[in-house]
Amino acid sequence: QQQRRLISRQRFIQDFSQCLFEFVVQLLPTTEEMAVKEDVRKLLERLIRTIEPDSRLLSFGSSANGFSLKNSDMDLCCLIDSGERLSAADLVTMVGDLLERETKFHVKPLPHARIPIVKLNLDPSPALPFGIACDIGFENRLALENTRLLMCYASVDPARVRTMVLFLKVWSKRRKINSPYKGTLSSYGYVLLVIYFLMHVKTPPVLPNLQQMPPLRPISEEESHLNGYNIWFFDDIELLRQRWKSANTDTVAELLIDFFKFYSRDFAYNTAVASIRAGLLKKEDKGWATEQSDIGTSRERNRLCIEDPFETDFNVARCVTKDGLYTIRGEFMRASRILQSRPDRAILALAQLCE
Ligand code: GTP
Ligand code: MG
């Protein structure tokens, strides 16, 4: 009977992997959607150049890191190459006015946000049944770099990494635990949790640590640093594909099951910081455990700690509240329970997970 159970578990794992691949493929953006978005980017770039002729408008976030789903919003970053330029707040106001006049977008400039942005929304139309939501930021070069880092991790092992990340993005949205504004975690945070798990929890690791690999040639301080942060990582993907072969042969289903198990019972939420750069760190050692700080209580902002790969003094999960973390952990446990409970049909387990 034990052997029969083992065989049926193996069959479930196999089917569940297959279901995950099929589920994720149908959620990818269509070529048309990507083409329309690229046209929008070009149009916006052309308009912004009437204010700042030396500017470029670049995609970051999911549209550029290999983790995009159908109808996901566009994150755009405006870089200005000339020496003299307006402040980000002034640019937001001016670009906001311009786009309000010249386009059909609903425009909302936020010049005084921590990172000043212009928010744009296009109403749904027959060609674009979900409309377009887009944020334009200015000079946010670190976001461009962390997008490139995530993109490199996505391309090291696309079958497993992209499938896991895309599934978790859908799952966290359907389970309503993907809203930093409401006290839960951003997509960026979930991606870092997946990479941390694949690199520092699984043995043998599924992913190499690109930030700790030796460079192929000496790198100057000027090349490796941006705003005082070390942004260097091994980014020669072609070479990496030739050289890196993970000894870990787990299927995507096995990895996902272990992911839920790890974050529902093994991760030390009270004391630990997940760092893809450096592995498991302690809140205490980063000064993230103290009761009080100059901006509100630091404990409240550091319930869940995920170190940004470059801005190492920045907790990507700072928006997660006590209730938010309780809900997120409850969801990890629920998912783990569903996958442990010997479901006999993989497709039903997947549907139940994302209910
Ligand atoms: P969806 O919008 O849900 O499709 O996911 P996304 O991959 O675009 O992620 P998200 O919107 O959460 O973040 C977009 C990009 O903004 C990320 O890839 C990062 O480059 C950047 N970003 C988001 N949150 C943070 C943060 O807390 N710190 C830093 N440094 N960058 C962030
Ligand atoms: Mg986004």
Side-chain angles (χ1 to χ4, degrees):
Q1 192 178 357
Q2 209 173 358
Q3 185 149 21
R4 205 170 324 129
R5 237 190 235 166
L6 198 68
I7 291 174
S8 100
R9 185 68 182 165
Q10 273 165 356
R11 188 166 314 133
F12 171 76
I13 302 256
Q14 231 172 32
D15 288 353
F16 188 48
S17 278
Q18 192 56 35
C19 278
L20 283 170
F21 289 129
E22 284 164 13
F23 179 67
V24 158
V25 163
Q26 39 126 11
L27 296 167
L28 297 176
T30 59
T31 352
E32 291 86 45
E33 183 185 331
M34 292 198 291
V36 170
K37 285 184 168 166
E38 176 56 14
D39 287 347
V40 168
R41 188 199 62 76
K42 283 195 194 130
L43 168 82
L44 294 172
E45 184 175 64
R46 223 173 29 242
L47 287 170
I48 293 175
R49 280 184 178 164
T50 62
I51 298 178
E52 277 285 358
D54 289 328
S55 61
R56 291 175 288 156
L57 196 60
L58 305 177
S59 276
F60 70 102
S62 60
S63 23
N65 65 19
F67 300 128
S68 110
L69 298 165
K70 274 196 181 93
N71 316 313
S72 54
D73 48 7
M74 286 172 82
D75 300 296
L76 296 174
C77 170
C78 179
L79 295 184
I80 297 150
D81 296 322
S82 64
E84 264 173 71
R85 64 178 128 84
L86 298 156
S87 74
D90 287 344
L91 277 167
V92 162
T93 310
M94 288 175 70
V95 169
D97 286 348
L98 172 78
L99 298 180
E100 180 96 65
R101 276 197 317 270
E102 301 286 335
T103 69
K104 287 185 188 154
F105 279 101
H106 299 288
V107 181
K108 189 173 173 195
L110 300 174
H112 305 298
R114 187 181 76 97
I115 296 178
I117 54 169
V118 183
K119 279 188 155 310
L120 302 176
N121 274 291
L122 200 59
D123 286 333
S125 64
L128 275 169
F130 295 90
I132 289 187
C134 168
D135 290 349
I136 306 179
F138 293 84
E139 287 298 320
N140 193 357
R141 290 176 196 253
L142 282 166
L144 292 170
E145 289 304 312
N146 67 41
T147 294
R148 227 163 51 78
L149 177 69
L150 264 42
M151 196 265 291
C152 286
Y153 281 123
S155 21
V156 174
D157 190 338
R160 293 189 289 181
V161 179
R162 283 186 74 207
T163 308
M164 266 185 94
V165 166
L166 291 172
F167 174 78
L168 283 162
K169 277 177 69 169
V170 181
W171 169 81
S172 62
K173 285 176 205 278
R174 297 248 177 107
R175 300 304 300 168
K176 300 196 164 46
I177 48 169
N178 179 254
S179 315
Y181 302 107
K182 293 183 192 152
T184 57
L185 189 61
S186 65
S187 296
Y188 181 58
Y190 283 104
V191 179
L192 295 177
L193 287 184
V194 175
I195 296 175
Y196 174 80
F197 171 78
L198 296 176
M199 186 189 301
H200 297 290
V201 178
K202 287 312 293 180
T203 44
V206 174
L207 286 175
N209 189 338
L210 299 180
Q211 291 177 274
Q212 306 291 353
M213 286 172 70
L216 296 170
R217 56 176 178 85
I219 306 288
S220 70
E221 178 91 0
E222 205 190 344
E223 270 178 286
S224 64
H225 283 68
L226 180 62
N227 305 347
Y229 297 110
N230 185 353
I231 54 155
W232 187 86
F233 63 94
F234 192 94
D235 62 355
D236 189 334
I237 291 302
E238 277 316 306
L239 197 61
L240 199 72
R241 284 218 184 103
Q242 291 163 26
R243 290 200 187 162
W244 169 262
K245 177 90 185 73
S246 168
N248 188 311
T249 57
D250 288 353
T251 61
V252 68
E254 287 168 305
L255 292 172
L256 191 69
I257 292 170
D258 280 359
F259 173 92
F260 284 131
K261 212 191 292 173
F262 175 75
Y263 286 109
S264 40
R265 37 155 243 223
D266 302 325
F267 186 71
Y269 290 89
N270 285 334
T271 54
V273 177
S275 161
I276 67 167
R277 171 192 66 92
L280 177 64
L281 301 177
K282 286 213 161 81
K283 287 188 191 180
E284 211 178 346
D285 297 341
K286 290 190 67 82
W288 288 357
T290 46
E291 200 57 55
Q292 206 62 41
S293 80
D294 44 354
I295 355 172
T297 72
S298 132
R299 205 164 83 100
E300 186 51 46
R301 287 180 305 116
N302 294 325
R303 298 266 170 198
L304 172 61
C305 290
I306 305 172
E307 185 193 62
D308 186 84
F310 303 132
E311 288 170 89
T312 52
D313 48 6
F314 182 75
N315 176 14
V316 172
R318 75 207 168 284
C319 296
V320 176
T321 58
K322 187 177 175 200
D323 285 353
L325 182 58
Y326 184 81
T327 314
I328 293 171
R329 290 182 69 175
E331 286 298 332
F332 285 144
M333 287 178 208
R334 174 184 177 274
S336 199
R337 208 165 47 235
I338 292 173
L339 294 171
Q340 293 302 318
S341 66
R342 311 192 181 287
D344 44 28
R345 300 270 321 270
I347 186 93
L348 296 180
L350 195 140
Q352 197 187 349
L353 277 179
C354 294
E355 227 161 54

